[in-house]
Amino acid sequence: GESVGLHLPTLSVQEGDNSIINCAYSNSASDYFIWYKQESGKGPQFIIDIRSNMDKRQGQRVTVLLNKTVKHLSLQIAATQPGDSAVYFCAENNAGNMLTFGGGTRLMVKP
Amino acid sequence: DGGITQSPKYLFRKEGQNVTLSCEQNLNHDAMYWYRQDPGQGLRLIYYSQIVNDFQKGDIAEGYSVSREKKESFPLTVTSAQKNPTAFYLCASTNPGLAGYNEQFFGPGTRLTVL
């Protein structure tokens, strides 16, 4: 079946650097994408979302880029901080309010 | 964690026992979901409910049961038929929008361990 996946399972960055987390999706019918952050032992928290009629959306220190041509989604975190250390999931919506989640990328921030 | 609560935070079960995980939301959301998360993996859908008194199986419903008697509550029972129930269980809710897509809000999770 079609699914959402991630290129890198673990990303290690230096504090203050920018982070880029990638996600590939295979369902061209997906029309909405979300990035979640999950800290150890906690539930996922919404970071940012983007609709398929957009290719970029910015939040506070975060930017999501959507490339529908190659079915690729990325999350950019500016000036990465220790508090950004977590697992990041992308999710796609392609059927009403059903989400399909990727496997997650662990971001480790080195002080 | 928003307006979704899950209890208990930690749960231990002996083999052969049924256990029920609680999920309550005060967000007035119509749709609620249960996911299972295994170490180092993503979320897999167990059951979902789009409206009171109605629910549907997700991708891994075998060995689980749910009810939706009230809008704010969506308890999950892990039965003895679930062969490998040790996992982190997450509840989520959302309100269907006119455009058909909305973020899901997650609870803090319940970690179930079978002894």
Side-chain angles (χ1 to χ4, degrees), chain A residues 31-32 34 36 38 41-46 49 51 53 87 89 93 95-99 101-104 106, chain B residues 1 9 33 35 37 40-43 45 48 50 88 90 94-97 100-104 106-108 111:
Chain A
D31 56 7
Y32 178 59
I34 309 174
Y36 284 96
Q38 187 179 25
K42 298 183 179 181
Q45 293 179 297
F46 172 88
D49 58 4
R51 300 178 183 180
N53 61 352
V87 175
F89 293 95
N93 176 300
N97 285 290
M98 306 305 296
L99 292 179
F101 290 84
R106 182 175 301 280
Chain B
D1 300 335
K9 186 172 178 61
Y33 309 80
Y35 295 92
Q37 186 176 34
Q41 298 187 29
L43 280 64
L45 182 64
Y48 64 99
Q50 303 276 33
F88 191 49
L90 287 159
T94 191
N95 245 353
Y101 38 78
N102 277 328
E103 66 178 280
Q104 291 182 13
F106 283 85
R111 186 165 300 280

Side-chain angles (χ1 to χ4, degrees), chain A residues 21-36:
Chain A
I21 301 172
N22 297 303
C23 178
Y25 67 95
S26 56
N27 189 341
S28 57
S30 295
D31 56 7
Y32 178 59
F33 304 87
I34 309 174
W35 280 102
Y36 284 96

Side-chain angles (χ1 to χ4, degrees), chain A residues 4 6 19-25 31-36 46-68 71-78 88-92:
Chain A
V4 175
L6 292 170
S19 302
I20 300 176
I21 301 172
N22 297 303
C23 178
Y25 67 95
D31 56 7
Y32 178 59
F33 304 87
I34 309 174
W35 280 102
Y36 284 96
F46 172 88
I47 302 174
I48 192 168
D49 58 4
I50 189 168
R51 300 178 183 180
S52 58
N53 61 352
M54 304 170 67
D55 54 20
K56 180 179 180 179
R57 190 163 188 223
Q58 288 184 292
Q60 187 176 10
R61 282 202 308 119
V62 295
T63 300
V64 55
L65 298 178
L66 176 62
N67 186 331
K68 294 181 287 294
K71 299 188 185 72
H72 185 266
L73 191 70
S74 69
L75 176 70
Q76 300 178 0
I77 304 174
Y88 290 81
F89 293 95
C90 62
E92 62 178 327

Side-chain angles (χ1 to χ4, degrees), chain B residues 23-32 49-53 68-74 93-95:
Chain B
C23 177
E24 304 278 333
Q25 54 97 0
N26 61 4
L27 301 169
N28 200 33
H29 285 169
D30 288 317
M32 297 186 73
S49 169
Q50 303 276 33
I51 197 169
V52 174
N53 292 321
R68 188 82 187 279
E69 297 177 0
K70 298 185 296 182
K71 185 176 185 178
E72 58 271 21
S73 179
F74 191 41
S93 70
T94 191
N95 245 353

